[in-house]
Amino acid sequence: MSGGVGGASCLETNDWICGEYLRTRSQELVDATVQHIGITAVSVAIGLLIAFPLALVARRWRGAAGPVLGLTTVLYTVPSLAMFALLTPVFGVSASVVVTGLVLYSLTILVRNILAGLAAVPAEVREAARGMGYGPARLLYEVELPLALPALVAGLRIATVSTVAMTTIGSVVGYGGLGNLIASGMEGFFKAEVLTASMLCVLLALLADLLLMGLQRLLTPWTRAQARAKARARRGARMAKAVG
């Protein structure tokens, strides 16, 4: 929408949808989007690097499972404003505050999904691999992890989408990506700024989810073969029932 009543521009009439806003603030939108993507990607990557060994520890030593899962759950329940307030004296007012907070929030999702994926590996598959001479490390990386990938990527998708949304809260310390625009738009009731930044957040979350879904399909081709086999079996059962 480029104009309002009496020829006034959509900026002057404060419309929700405003092409003039996109044209005049394009660089601001690009900068905020790049910051948003950067904070999200770094947070999820670090979260995964920390969650993986934590999940292995919880799996290897049963006594550690309760404390690991309990701690990550407690961290997830801490309000974001309180989390940032606790982290600011350590990191100062910087992007590190936001990244650290988002990493801590992602752990409960990632650790639980990694554990669920590893637990779902059939015991007979492990025994067969051990019988073929696979050691613990080789068993983990060549047998268990590939079979656990669907659950692992599912957790990664949830963590990524939630991190895209939670990054906006970083606006309280000036590092919220698109959240900075949402906050400033809300403060001045600038409709186009609020709507545009919000829609970009939604689009980022959807795009990230689609990319991770595609990555999962690429890394687990056998799941598609299994799905096709199950579909053929169901069709065969229906045909047999109809004939019978």
Side-chain angles (χ1 to χ4, degrees):
M1 186 178 297
S2 59
V5 179
S9 72
C10 57
L11 287 176
E12 294 172 332
T13 55
N14 195 24
D15 295 328
W16 285 103
I17 302 174
C18 182
E20 189 175 351
Y21 169 74
L22 296 177
R23 289 192 300 272
T24 58
R25 305 289 185 89
S26 59
Q27 189 57 53
E28 184 180 47
L29 287 168
V30 169
D31 292 342
T33 302
V34 169
Q35 185 186 80
H36 204 107
I37 293 173
I39 290 174
T40 299
V42 170
S43 301
V44 173
I46 295 175
L48 185 59
L49 289 175
I50 296 174
F52 186 68
L54 282 178
L56 293 182
V57 168
R59 179 186 181 230
R60 175 66 179 81
W61 292 285
R62 295 298 179 89
V68 168
L69 294 174
L71 178 60
T72 56
T73 301
V74 168
L75 289 172
Y76 193 76
T77 64
V78 177
S80 54
L81 293 178
M83 179 74 78
F84 291 161
L86 293 171
L87 293 173
T88 299
V90 179
F91 297 100
V93 180
S94 66
S96 298
V97 171
V98 183
V99 170
T100 304
L102 294 175
V103 167
L104 295 176
Y105 285 133
S106 71
L107 292 180
T108 185
I109 299 170
L110 294 173
V111 170
R112 288 178 183 276
N113 276 74
I114 294 171
L115 284 173
L118 293 174
V121 177
E124 58 269 22
V125 173
R126 292 193 183 94
E127 291 302 321
R130 291 191 185 100
M132 295 171 63
Y134 280 59
R138 190 181 177 193
L139 175 64
L140 174 64
Y141 289 104
E142 294 186 18
V143 177
E144 294 178 315
L145 274 184
L147 294 177
L149 269 178
L152 194 157
V153 177
L156 190 60
R157 287 170 60 189
I158 297 171
T160 302
V161 170
S162 64
T163 300
V164 169
M166 293 184 69
T167 296
T168 57
I169 304 171
S171 61
V172 298
V173 292
Y175 292 92
L178 293 165
N180 295 340
L181 300 183
I182 295 174
S184 64
M186 291 293 292
E187 184 178 351
F189 197 57
F190 190 176
K191 296 178 181 178
E193 186 171 49
V194 172
L195 180 63
T196 303
S198 299
M199 291 304 299
L200 284 172
C201 282
V202 173
L203 289 175
L204 284 180
L206 291 174
L207 180 60
D209 192 51
L210 288 173
L211 288 174
L212 289 171
M213 188 186 302
L215 178 64
Q216 178 180 343
R217 289 175 61 85
L218 181 66
L219 295 177
T220 57
W222 62 86
T223 58
R224 297 194 296 276
Q226 290 174 348
R228 288 193 294 268
K230 289 180 180 179
R232 287 195 296 269
R234 285 195 295 269
R235 287 196 298 270
R238 285 197 296 268
M239 292 177 63
K241 185 177 180 180
V243 171

